[in-house]
Amino acid sequence: MGDFFSSLLPPGLIDVLSALLPPVVVGGTFCFFIIKILRNEMAPRRSDGSLVGKGTDSGDESDRDAAESGDAATANEASNAGDGERADSDGR
């Protein structure tokens, strides 16, 4: 196999490629894992830390009911926070 490559490539290029191959493999592996970690950290999460897209169908009924009641409570608190009060920009 070495004779085949040596017949196609100039003699100095084989030495350069063999010297560059290990750093390229290490650098590529490093970049792969850094990108994988960054994508995992940038994934949207709920307030309890679980991923948004995972585990929606695997929970039982009590987990879903608790999650829905918690979501409804925070939605109600947010909508009631401004009742009776005007925003600063409304009167101007």
Side-chain angles (χ1 to χ4, degrees):
M1 191 74 166
D3 294 332
F4 175 71
F5 284 125
S6 63
S7 66
L8 292 177
L9 301 173
L13 188 59
I14 294 174
D15 294 336
V16 170
L17 290 177
S18 63
L20 289 178
L21 188 61
V24 167
V25 170
V26 170
T29 305
F30 178 76
C31 290
F32 172 77
F33 283 110
I34 293 296
I35 290 171
K36 186 175 179 181
I37 289 170
L38 289 176
R39 287 181 58 134
N40 192 19
E41 290 298 320
M42 291 188 302
R45 296 181 182 270
R46 295 186 184 99
S47 60
D48 64 349
S50 62
L51 290 173
V52 171
K54 294 200 176 193
T56 56
D57 295 334
S58 63
D60 60 347
E61 296 270 337
S62 62
D63 290 342
R64 285 190 212 136
D65 292 339
E68 288 174 1
S69 65
D71 292 342
T74 56
N76 288 339
E77 289 174 10
S79 64
N80 291 338
D83 288 349
E85 297 179 11
R86 292 187 343 181
D88 292 335
S89 61
D90 287 344
R92 294 182 187 164

